[in-house]
Amino acid sequence: MRVLAFAFALLCALPALAEEVVLGLSSDQVSINTNFDGSEILIFGAVKREEAILDDPRLQVIVTVAGPSRPITVRRKEKRFGIWVNTDAVEVDHAPSFYAVASSTLLGLALSNTEDLRYKVSIPRAIRSVGAPQNILDSKNFTNALIRIKSKSNQYQLNEGTVSVDEQTLFRTAIELPAALTEGDYLTRIFLTRGGEVVSKYETSIYVRKVGVERWLFRLSRENALIYGFMSLAIAIAAGWGASAIFSIFRR
């Protein structure tokens, strides 16, 4: 009883959150079908307070959306004897398939390095690479190469100054999802910061799922790989025969 009483007293002594997020999403589900060419998710919300609004430092809002993570092998190519060949390789242990960061100001102003290290907000912090071979001294360059490649395909995004904050209470932003999405749960986080320090955090998920024929083929490839392989072979043979027949008709 004394332990329970002490725990209750300690809990009551903790300060209540002065500011917290009330979030809304234009949609919490994204369906991938044959016509899917990308989507845009509107993220909006408000700040609930128990105290008066502080003017200094001003409230900043950071939004992150992260797709499912998996290991990725990054290879370096070098030209030897006139041929490009793979030389060194580094396996990145943890890399999100999609990652977007949106902030109400420059990310470096909205979040300190210490808080970034704690919450893994920036793109480099969201990637974990600790298993580089000992003979590779520039393993960081492999991570930078991965970020550069993913950024070109719009799968990694840094959108500074795109979160609108009205009266330090209402906020909104839009995250563009590219066509090449991995199926899974996309963790969405909202951070409220003041002076670079996180004062509140909120998490939810956006669900990305294949539907229709894509969903059936995806499940077939995972659950009945042999049947999927034979079906793919049959389709390839039929397509080749059809193309040959059409070409023969035009030759005549």
Side-chain angles (χ1 to χ4, degrees):
M1 290 296 293
R2 290 182 179 179
V3 174
L4 291 176
F6 176 76
F8 179 75
L10 182 62
L11 187 63
C12 292
L14 293 175
L17 286 176
E19 297 173 302
E20 55 183 310
V21 176
V22 180
L23 182 68
L25 297 172
S26 60
S27 175
D28 62 354
Q29 294 187 2
V30 176
S31 299
I32 302 176
N33 54 30
T34 53
N35 299 320
F36 182 77
D37 60 354
S39 181
E40 185 178 79
I41 298 294
L42 178 63
I43 300 173
F44 57 93
V47 180
K48 184 171 69 173
R49 293 183 172 87
E50 297 179 359
E51 300 176 357
I53 297 177
L54 299 176
D55 291 327
D56 188 27
R58 289 188 61 83
L59 179 74
Q60 304 295 341
V61 180
I62 303 171
V63 178
T64 69
V65 179
S69 296
R70 64 181 186 275
I72 296 179
T73 300
V74 182
R75 304 182 186 277
R76 174 158 50 201
K77 287 188 175 183
E78 294 182 0
K79 197 171 185 179
R80 296 182 178 178
F81 305 104
I83 301 174
W84 288 99
V85 295
N86 292 326
T87 54
D88 300 325
V90 170
E91 184 177 87
V92 177
D93 309 272
H94 175 100
S97 57
F98 172 84
Y99 195 77
V101 183
S103 58
S104 54
T105 185
L106 296 177
L107 187 60
L109 298 178
L111 191 71
S112 67
N113 290 330
T114 302
E115 294 289 78
D116 188 17
L117 180 62
R118 178 182 179 186
Y119 292 101
K120 307 293 189 296
V121 175
S122 65
I123 295 175
R125 294 295 186 191
I127 299 172
R128 185 180 66 208
S129 180
V130 295
Q134 294 182 353
N135 63 316
I136 297 179
L137 303 178
D138 60 342
S139 59
K140 186 177 180 181
N141 290 338
F142 287 79
T143 301
N144 293 336
L146 174 64
I147 294 174
R148 185 170 61 253
I149 293 169
K150 289 280 192 179
S151 298
K152 286 183 178 179
S153 61
N154 208 31
Q155 292 177 320
Y156 284 178
Q157 304 172 18
L158 175 58
N159 304 315
E160 297 174 304
T162 59
V163 180
S164 299
V165 183
D166 299 329
E167 302 296 331
Q168 298 196 63
T169 301
L170 303 177
F171 64 87
R172 64 187 181 278
T173 189
I175 301 295
E176 181 182 350
L177 302 177
L181 286 180
T182 301
E183 187 178 44
D185 297 343
Y186 283 57
L187 177 63
T188 302
R189 300 182 297 170
I190 292 87
F191 298 92
L192 304 181
T193 70
R194 287 187 183 277
E197 304 298 317
V198 175
V199 297
S200 183
K201 184 183 77 165
Y202 182 90
E203 293 185 1
T204 186
S205 291
I206 298 171
Y207 306 99
V208 175
R209 297 288 184 270
K210 291 181 173 68
V211 296
V213 177
E214 287 75 13
R215 181 63 179 173
W216 180 74
L217 290 174
F218 177 80
R219 294 188 62 181
L220 183 66
S221 66
R222 296 297 187 274
E223 299 173 3
N224 297 283
L226 184 61
I227 296 176
Y228 178 80
F230 279 122
M231 187 181 70
S232 300
L233 181 61
I235 292 174
I237 294 173
W241 178 86
S244 178
I246 293 173
F247 183 72
S248 298
I249 292 173
F250 278 108
R251 288 188 62 183
R252 294 175 185 174

